[in-house]
């Protein structure tokens, strides 16, 4: 692991999250005043807000007892330079795939990127955008910079979708977000190659990055975000407190991928929300392999007639990891479709929680809503909870949900062994087969391959 | 000529003895038929040879004896080591592995079986080479090439499963193959095709044990010996005429001639009935 070569950080922050620290950050920031005002307002709320209440349905299965808010503060400049970025990129599971991807025939071909944004401990390391796209009006890069340049198209969306007053994490993110990135694609501009966003942490680092993606009418893009680094279990770890806002315009098509691959000492709290307008399409894939504890809200709102959202989740947990996902598919307009499939495999004493909700408003007739969660237990001590939910106010709808939980079938393993595969190879194959159904839905080959490989590496003997 | 040699084999499932002393010897290039009523223990023998963990060998030996007399103890091997040593079982009821394409499965399988010393993680057989060979084999067996893109036995009809087993046999070319009711689920034409295919695949190199209730599969695979199992023992062995007799007249003469084995058969039926077992996956029906 490259993480071992990243510099260590001291456990206690020299500055806490507070008004003084924020003033210092804003003094050095090129962001426009309206954006700074949003931060100040959130910071003012921060002092009055506590950690989320465990009586809250969304948080009751998340064990925050060992999370100490006072242990964390705003990021300082990273002391390691380009060498760290190299290590970071090597560790990012998609990087290799993107520069060297396989085509259908198994031949390796060089992948192309439309843009790349990397950050370390909340500091921007690199921003690149294909010049021809910039010429077409595409905006991609550090929020601090582009919010000032393109307030006309961004101001209305910035922090418009996620609630920053809900709890301590929400307010903290809104006040202290750093190394945030914005993508704006003007109407009818189609970006063929993916944009790659990597957020990295050193041991004990803090990442509060915000991601805003806005696709104009008829625009198309593929955004791959991933996280890497942070301390392993037992070290200082790391803290991610992030947010994502997505606006898919009318007839636009966005493929969004979030791969969470922190080391196992990182606390990960993320709020992610997308709105899809009339006839817009969103394919949103979450891959979650890392972190010590994750609390992720993934909400999709279908706000215009004929909007379509496909949500894919691929989770693999091990050790004592605990990953909690609260998903929402909110049908606000008629004749929309949402289809969620989360698949998780659990090893050791890890725990996976999925709580899903399909909400259909009165106006949303002809809704087609689906949610499903399948979990595969690779050990007897792992635990998975699936809690689907429906809240339907319209009467002409088709909404279904399902959940399964099972173990690797010994008969399948024997069959594969009888054909010469070792017990381990057989188990790996069965697990790969389990994920295939969701991989079949992910239309981005490098993402499929990177996830399959990363999961394959993690599987140990099935008990 | 290498031989698969089984001596005094006793096998128990869930603590109950099923095989009660089986002796059988098959040389490479020989065809043997194994017949017997349902529940007599034929599939159990196949599983025990392949090393299914639920089938416990309580006594007896299974060995591979090379032409120079070198012996390899099959019972000491894991199932995958047995496959790599050249033993193949065509399952009476093959298991489905959803999400895993037959071609990918087979590529892994062929790689391991052809390189018995391959370590996990080492390269698989080159894709191009594998595909060409698979395509040729499927054409020989009159199989649609798209078939290999389907998930292993997932949603296959009975006949498709059996044809997939024959395809795997053809690709793996084992030293010894046990074909457990590979003809069931196939219509008459398909059985004839299977019979021809097996004869072509087998040739002079493969020792084959054909477990069947019918004669048709034996048409192109004339057995050197036909064995009759009853109550967990091979009670009689004979030439091809024995298979014809059993197919036509059933097992009444056998039951009358071997009252002890017939009594064991009844006891096994009772035990299975008392335990209220549904017929387990892969066991004879
Ligand atoms: N996995 C199993 N679990 C329990 N009983 C089994 C199992 N496999 C076989 N048996 C029992 O062993 C006996 C022989 O079965 P089997 O070998 O399948 O016979 P055949 O293949 O000759 O029809 C039957 O009584 C059957 O119920
Ligand atoms: Mg049988």
């Amino acid at each position: 692991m490259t993480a071992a070569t990243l510099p260590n950080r001291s456990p206690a922050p020299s500055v806490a999250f507070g008004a003084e620290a924020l003033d210092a950050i804003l003094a050095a920031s090129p962001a426009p005043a309206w954006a700074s005002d949003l931060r100040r307002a959130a910071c003012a709320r921060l002092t009055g807000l506590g950690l989320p209440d465990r009586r809250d349905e969304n948080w009751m299965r998340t064990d925050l007892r060992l999370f100490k808010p006072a242990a964390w503060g705003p990021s300082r400049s990273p002391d390691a330079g380009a060498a760290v970025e190299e290590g970071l990129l090597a560790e990012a599971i998609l990087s290799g795939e993107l520069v060297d991807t396989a085509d259908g025939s198994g031949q390796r071909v060089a992948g192309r990127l439309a843009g790349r944004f990397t950050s370390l401990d909340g500091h921007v390391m690199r921003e690149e955008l294909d010049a021809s796209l910039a010429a077409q009006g595409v905006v991609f890069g550090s929020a601090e910079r582009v919010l000032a340049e393109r307030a006309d198209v961004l101001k209305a969306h910035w922090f418009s979708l996620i609630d920053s007053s809900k709890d301590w994490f929400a307010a903290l993110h809104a006040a202290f977000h750093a190394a945030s990135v914005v993508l704006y694609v003007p109407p009818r501009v189609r970006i063929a190659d993916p944009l790659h966003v990597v957020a990295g942490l050193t041991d004990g680092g803090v990442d509060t990055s915000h991601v805003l993606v806005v696709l104009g009418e008829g625009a198309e893009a593929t955004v791959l975000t991933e996280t890497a680094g942070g301390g392993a279990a037992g070290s200082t770890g790391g803290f991610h407190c992030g947010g994502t806002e997505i606006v898919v315009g009318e007839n636009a098509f966005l493929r969004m991928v979030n791969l969470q691959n922190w080391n196992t000492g990182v606390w990960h709290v993320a709020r992610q929300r997308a709105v899809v307008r009339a006839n817009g399409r969103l394919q949103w894939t979450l891959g979650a392999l890392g972190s010590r504890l994750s609390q992720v809200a993934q909400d999709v709102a279908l706000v215009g007639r004929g909007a379509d959202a496909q949500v894919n989740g691929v989770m693999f947990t091990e050790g004592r990891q605990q990953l909690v996902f609260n998903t929402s598919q909110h049908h606000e307009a008629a004749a929309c479709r949402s289809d969620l499939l989360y698949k998780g495999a659990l090893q050791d004493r890890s725990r996976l929680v999925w709580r899903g909700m399909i909400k259909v408003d009165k106006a949303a007739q002809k809704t087609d809503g689906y949610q499903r969660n399948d979990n595969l237990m690779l050990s007897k001590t792992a635990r998975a909870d699936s809690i689907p939910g429906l809240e339907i106010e319209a009467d002409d709808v088709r909404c279904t949900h399902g959940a399964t939980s099972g173990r690797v079938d010994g008969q399948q393993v024997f069959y594969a062994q009888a054909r010469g595969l070792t017990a381990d190879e057989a188990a790996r194959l069965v697990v790969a087969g389990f994920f295939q159904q969701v991989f079949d839905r992910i239309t981005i080959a490098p993402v499929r391959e990177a996830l399959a490989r990363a999961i394959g590496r993690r599987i140990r003997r099935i008990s | 000529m290498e031989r698969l040699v089984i001596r005094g084999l006793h096998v128990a499932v869930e603590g109950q003895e099923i095989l009660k002393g089986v002796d059988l010897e098959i040389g490479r290039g020989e065809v043997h038929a194994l017949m017997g009523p349902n529940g007599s223990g034929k599939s159990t023998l196949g599983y025990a040879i392949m090393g299914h963990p639920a089938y416990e060998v309580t006594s007896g030996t299974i060995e591979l004896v090379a032409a120079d007399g070198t012996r390899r103890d099959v019972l000491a091997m894991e199932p995958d080591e047995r496959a790599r040593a050249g033993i193949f079982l065509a399952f009476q009821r093959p298991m489905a592995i959803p999400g895993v394409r037959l071609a990918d499965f087979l590529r892994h399988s062929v790689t391991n079986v052809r390189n018995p010393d391959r370590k996990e993680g080492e390269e698989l057989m080159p894709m191009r080479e594998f595909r060409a060979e698979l395509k040729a084999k499927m054409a020989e067996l009159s199989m649609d090439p798209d078939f290999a893109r389907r998930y292993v036995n997932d949603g296959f009809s009975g006949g498709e499963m059996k044809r997939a087993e024959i395809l795997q046999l053809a690709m793996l070319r084992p030293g010894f193959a046990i074909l457990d009711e590979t003809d069931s689920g196939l219509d008459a034409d398909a059985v004839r095709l299977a019979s021809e295919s097996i004869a072509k695949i087998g040739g002079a190199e493969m020792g084959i044990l054909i477990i069947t209730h019918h004669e048709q599969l034996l048409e192109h695979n004339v057995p050197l010996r036909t064995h009759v199992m009853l109550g967990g023992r091979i009670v009689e062995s004979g030439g091809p005429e024995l298979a014809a007799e059993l197919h036509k007249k059933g097992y009444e003469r056998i039951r009358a001639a071997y009252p002890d084995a017939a009594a064991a058969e009844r006891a096994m039926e009772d035990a299975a009935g008392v335990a209220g077992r549904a017929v387990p996956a892969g066991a004879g029906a």
Side-chain angles (χ1 to χ4, degrees):
Chain A
M1 276 260 144
T2 347
T5 64
L6 299 179
N8 279 328
R9 301 223 132 200
S10 54
S14 45
V15 256
F17 291 115
E20 224 170 282
L22 184 61
D23 283 339
I25 291 168
L26 294 180
S29 161
W34 57 265
S36 299
D37 289 347
L38 286 178
R39 286 174 176 262
R40 285 206 185 84
C43 188
R45 282 195 294 273
L46 184 60
T47 32
L49 285 168
L51 290 181
D53 195 323
R54 281 203 84 174
R55 279 168 302 186
D56 180 337
E57 271 286 318
N58 285 344
W59 288 85
M60 62 192 293
R61 294 165 196 87
T62 307
D63 187 357
L64 285 174
R65 281 172 300 181
L66 292 174
F67 180 77
K68 301 285 176 262
W72 307 100
S75 312
R76 295 170 301 172
S77 319
D79 21 37
V84 174
E85 197 202 355
E86 285 303 307
L88 177 71
L89 287 175
E91 207 182 328
I93 63 172
L94 266 176
S95 295
E97 298 287 339
L98 289 174
V99 289
D100 188 25
T101 64
D103 70 7
S105 70
Q107 298 290 91
R108 311 301 290 185
V109 293
R112 266 176 48 87
L113 287 179
R116 169 172 281 187
F117 182 93
T118 60
S119 69
L120 183 67
D121 291 345
H123 294 269
V124 179
M125 306 292 287
R126 185 204 294 227
E127 12 174 4
E128 293 162 3
L129 174 67
D130 187 303
S132 69
L133 294 173
Q136 292 176 71
V138 174
V139 174
F140 178 66
S142 162
E144 299 282 284
R145 178 174 59 78
V146 303
L147 286 179
E149 289 169 12
R150 291 306 303 269
D152 59 322
V153 283
L154 297 173
K155 186 177 172 185
H157 302 297
W158 185 248
F159 279 91
S160 67
L161 299 184
I162 57 176
D163 179 3
S164 57
S165 61
K166 242 190 155 150
D167 54 47
W168 186 82
F169 292 109
L172 171 78
H173 172 69
F176 286 95
H177 63 82
S180 301
V181 59
V182 172
L183 169 68
Y184 168 71
V185 186
R188 289 170 298 283
V189 172
R190 296 190 177 153
I191 306 179
D193 299 316
L195 295 122
H196 189 205
V197 177
V198 186
L201 282 178
T202 57
D203 190 354
V206 174
D207 176 76
T208 48
S209 54
H210 188 74
V211 177
L212 171 65
V213 175
V214 180
L215 261 59
E217 190 205 325
E220 280 186 27
T222 300
V223 179
L224 314 175
T225 78
E226 63 178 312
T227 72
S235 73
T236 329
F239 177 34
H240 168 85
C241 183
T244 299
E245 299 179 292
I246 295 168
V247 180
V248 180
E250 286 187 17
N251 290 306
F253 178 33
L254 174 67
R255 296 190 295 182
M256 182 84 189
V257 177
N258 306 126
L259 298 184
Q260 185 276 102
N261 192 29
W262 300 121
N263 279 326
T264 49
V266 175
W267 301 88
H268 177 87
V269 180
R271 269 194 183 66
Q272 310 180 316
R273 185 152 197 272
V275 299
V276 187
R277 295 190 177 149
N279 297 315
R281 274 204 301 148
L282 171 66
Q283 180 189 88
W284 193 357
T285 301
L286 245 60
L289 306 169
S291 84
R292 164 187 187 156
L293 177 139
S294 273
Q295 166 83 20
V296 174
Q298 187 189 24
D299 300 345
V300 178
L302 302 153
V303 301
R305 192 178 177 87
D308 182 303
Q310 183 199 62
V311 181
N312 306 312
V314 176
M315 286 83 194
F316 188 95
T317 58
E318 59 184 334
R320 289 179 167 271
Q321 286 181 287
Q322 185 191 4
L323 273 58
V324 179
F325 297 86
N326 291 294
T327 65
S328 150
Q329 297 151 260
H330 188 173
H331 288 252
E332 298 180 27
C336 296
R337 197 183 72 104
S338 70
D339 177 357
L340 176 143
L341 176 63
Y342 266 36
K343 282 196 163 237
L346 297 84
Q347 192 160 270
D348 307 325
R349 302 181 68 85
S350 60
R351 183 163 183 208
L352 191 56
V353 179
W354 167 74
R355 185 164 169 268
M357 176 61 73
I358 298 181
K359 196 165 177 295
V360 181
D361 291 354
K362 221 180 182 100
Q365 300 294 358
K366 304 278 181 212
T367 284
D368 185 352
Y370 186 66
Q371 57 177 349
R372 182 181 182 90
N373 176 214
D374 297 323
N375 291 315
L376 186 62
M377 319 303 284
L378 307 183
S379 75
K380 294 190 177 69
T381 45
R383 179 173 160 191
D385 298 279
S386 299
I387 309 146
L390 301 174
E391 235 179 73
I392 300 172
E393 284 175 23
D395 45 34
D396 182 13
V397 303
R398 202 181 62 161
C399 287
T400 42
H401 59 72
T404 63
S405 174
R407 312 180 53 79
V408 171
D409 181 356
Q411 299 283 2
Q412 293 177 333
V413 171
F414 173 68
Y415 182 73
Q417 276 189 284
R419 298 292 142 87
L421 279 70
T422 66
D424 279 358
E425 288 172 329
R428 237 180 280 279
L429 201 75
V430 170
V431 176
F434 168 78
F435 281 113
Q436 190 59 41
Q437 187 191 8
V438 64
F439 286 160
D440 280 344
R441 293 158 52 116
I442 303 172
T443 57
I444 309 164
V447 171
R448 272 197 315 262
E449 284 164 21
L451 276 171
R453 198 162 311 159
I455 288 169
R457 275 198 299 270
R458 282 170 164 81
I459 300 167
R460 293 188 302 277
R461 187 172 281 276
I462 312 260
S463 60
Chain B
M1 183 186 55
E2 191 183 25
R3 306 184 70 73
L4 177 66
V5 181
I6 299 166
R7 294 266 178 263
L9 191 70
H10 289 249
V11 174
V13 182
E14 292 174 0
Q16 202 217 327
E17 182 161 84
I18 307 294
L19 297 189
K20 302 176 175 73
V22 171
D23 295 278
L24 186 64
E25 203 175 318
I26 303 171
R28 301 265 291 243
E30 295 174 8
V31 175
H32 293 243
L34 178 62
M35 303 183 85
N38 283 333
S40 56
K42 304 181 299 295
S43 292
T44 297
L45 178 62
Y47 281 135
I49 295 171
M50 207 65 238
H52 192 300
Y55 295 75
E56 190 200 345
V57 175
T58 50
S59 68
T61 58
I62 305 179
E63 291 176 314
L64 286 169
V65 184
D68 66 1
T70 321
R71 292 168 175 275
R72 283 190 289 171
D73 180 4
V74 172
L75 292 177
M77 300 178 191
E78 293 292 317
D80 55 292
E81 293 171 324
R82 300 181 193 202
R84 293 176 192 214
I87 300 173
F88 179 91
L89 171 66
F91 286 60
Q92 184 178 351
R93 304 229 175 109
M95 285 80 179
I97 311 182
V100 177
R101 291 185 208 292
L102 180 58
D104 295 333
F105 180 72
L106 204 40
R107 181 171 167 225
H108 210 136
S109 175
V110 165
T111 305
N112 280 6
V113 168
R114 291 189 194 168
N115 315 288
D117 299 326
R118 174 178 177 268
K119 303 273 178 301
E120 264 175 68
E122 287 176 13
E123 286 295 308
L124 294 178
M125 177 178 178
M127 181 68 97
R128 203 174 288 269
E129 198 183 310
F130 172 76
R131 283 212 180 135
E133 187 180 332
L134 182 65
K135 207 174 143 205
K137 277 280 159 7
M138 293 185 84
E140 276 175 40
L141 297 171
S142 311
M143 291 175 78
D144 177 358
D146 278 350
F147 192 75
R149 298 176 52 80
R150 292 176 61 187
Y151 297 148
V152 178
N153 297 317
D154 190 23
F156 285 20
S157 69
E160 285 172 334
M161 285 191 192
K162 297 306 163 81
R163 299 184 65 191
E165 295 289 282
I166 293 172
L167 173 64
Q168 294 179 60
L169 174 73
M171 290 293 289
L172 293 169
R173 277 179 266 120
F176 296 94
I178 302 134
L179 309 182
D180 193 354
E181 299 199 22
T182 301
D183 49 1
S184 64
L186 298 177
D187 60 34
D189 287 344
V191 172
R192 193 163 309 117
L193 182 66
S195 176
E196 283 171 22
S197 307
I198 291 164
K200 215 185 299 168
I201 298 162
E205 286 301 304
M206 201 183 287
I208 307 180
L209 180 65
I210 296 179
I211 300 174
T212 182
H213 291 297
H214 315 285
E215 292 173 282
Q216 288 88 331
L217 206 57
L218 307 177
E219 188 184 333
H220 298 273
N221 303 280
V222 179
L224 180 69
R225 303 288 286 163
T226 296
H227 311 275
V228 185
M229 189 173 267
L230 184 69
R233 260 187 293 255
I234 290 176
V235 291
E236 196 171 303
S237 298
E241 74 293 342
L242 183 55
E245 179 215 317
L246 296 173
H247 181 228
K248 273 191 220 82
K249 301 193 183 153
Y251 295 97
E252 286 323 304
R253 177 185 69 74
I254 298 285
R255 287 197 177 94
Y258 306 96
D260 287 359
E265 179 188 29
R266 284 193 298 276
M268 275 157 71
E269 270 169 13
D270 289 349
V274 169
R277 285 191 285 256
V279 178

